[in-house]
Amino acid sequence: NAGVTQTPKFQVLKTGQSMTLQCAQDMNHNSMYWYRQDPGMGLRLIYYSASEGTTDKGEVPNGYNVSRLNKREFSLRLESAAPSQTSVYFCASSEAPTATYNEQFFGPGTRLTVL
Amino acid sequence: RKEVEQDPGPFNVPEGATVAFNCTYSNSASQSFFWYRQDCRKEPKLLMSVYSSGNEDGRFTAQLNRASQYISLLIRDSKLSDSATYLCVVRRGDKIIFGKGTRLHILP
């Protein structure tokens, strides 16, 4: 099993460009998440999908959109990138958000720089 | 007040020593608790869940104190490979909240 995979691993964008970050999991998990991690800020939830067909905003959704394409895939789109979106982006999955001991499995991250 | 708070450190600890971290949470409705480990420039990985009665996994012991709303992580006989950032994670309903992490450096 590959677990959670993310593409690309690195990306440099110019202000105003758009891009989509891809995430896929092969663990048959119901829930998927997108986080960003900035120095001194910890992990912040952007959007999550509790189950296929549903998406909800997290703590910092502005400037992002998501698509839960199917049970395996959850993409994050930046429509018009801004320097404030320079960050490391992690995708994660878990069986269900309300399971008592619900481990989240993380992908390796995408390091995005917006110039 | 942040919902999950941790001392950011860094904790600089000699190899072989015992080190303990605390994490406080503000919402008494929090239901599940975890410690994750994150190595530099890597993704977080689950270290251990924290059970109400406390639990141990080798050199690692986790405790939960619901009355005072904190969880703790104790590392005994610390190894150089324990150097990492330790993230406290709390679940409340379908919401999962990460602390900012505590940096640990084990010194040879």
Side-chain angles (χ1 to χ4, degrees):
Chain A
N1 286 352
V4 180
T5 56
Q6 291 182 235
T7 56
K9 285 187 168 50
F10 300 94
Q11 184 71 47
V12 179
L13 293 177
K14 294 181 180 178
T15 297
Q17 287 185 315
S18 62
M19 78 161 295
T20 300
L21 281 63
Q22 306 286 355
C23 173
Q25 52 91 9
D26 62 2
M27 295 172 282
N28 201 37
H29 284 164
N30 290 306
S31 304
M32 298 185 73
Y33 310 80
W34 276 106
Y35 293 91
R36 60 178 288 175
Q37 187 173 38
D38 303 292
M41 297 296 292
L43 280 161
R44 292 184 292 171
L45 183 64
I46 305 171
Y47 271 94
Y48 70 101
S49 171
S51 60
E52 188 179 356
T54 69
T55 60
D56 287 285
K57 294 179 180 180
E59 182 184 355
V60 288
N62 291 346
Y64 304 96
N65 286 301
V66 290
S67 294
R68 184 73 182 268
L69 304 168
N70 47 55
K71 193 171 185 179
R72 289 188 63 246
E73 299 172 287
F74 189 38
S75 63
L76 178 72
R77 183 159 178 85
L78 286 69
E79 290 292 351
S80 179
S84 60
Q85 294 178 305
T86 294
S87 188
V88 181
Y89 291 85
F90 287 105
C91 177
S93 72
S94 67
E95 287 189 358
T98 55
T100 302
Y101 296 108
N102 185 28
E103 178 179 359
Q104 287 196 326
F105 293 82
F106 285 81
T110 295
R111 283 163 177 75
L112 174 66
T113 300
V114 183
L115 303 174
Chain B
R1 183 184 173 189
K2 293 285 185 186
E3 186 158 357
V4 178
E5 294 200 79
Q6 299 182 247
D7 182 339
F11 285 56
N12 298 308
V13 173
E15 192 175 10
T18 295
V19 60
F21 314 133
N22 278 351
C23 163
T24 58
Y25 60 96
S26 62
N27 195 316
S28 59
S30 299
Q31 296 157 287
S32 309
F33 308 89
F34 311 87
W35 285 103
Y36 278 69
R37 171 192 168 128
Q38 185 173 22
D39 294 305
C40 188
R41 301 182 68 80
K42 297 287 191 180
E43 71 273 23
K45 293 184 180 179
L46 180 69
L47 177 66
M48 55 198 304
S49 301
V50 186
Y51 304 139
S52 296
S53 55
N55 47 301
E56 188 174 305
D57 182 2
R59 298 180 294 108
F60 298 85
T61 301
Q63 296 280 351
L64 167 64
N65 186 318
R66 285 195 181 271
S68 300
Q69 296 185 194
Y70 75 85
I71 66 172
S72 63
L73 178 68
L74 180 79
I75 306 175
R76 290 181 299 277
D77 187 24
S78 54
K79 312 290 186 192
L80 294 175
S81 57
D82 295 332
S83 295
T85 296
Y86 291 83
L87 306 175
C88 171
V89 182
V90 172
R91 184 182 70 79
R92 177 171 53 81
D94 63 356
K95 192 172 180 185
I96 298 172
I97 307 106
F98 281 77
K100 293 184 181 180
T102 297
R103 288 173 56 203
L104 173 65
H105 295 161
I106 304 299
L107 307 172

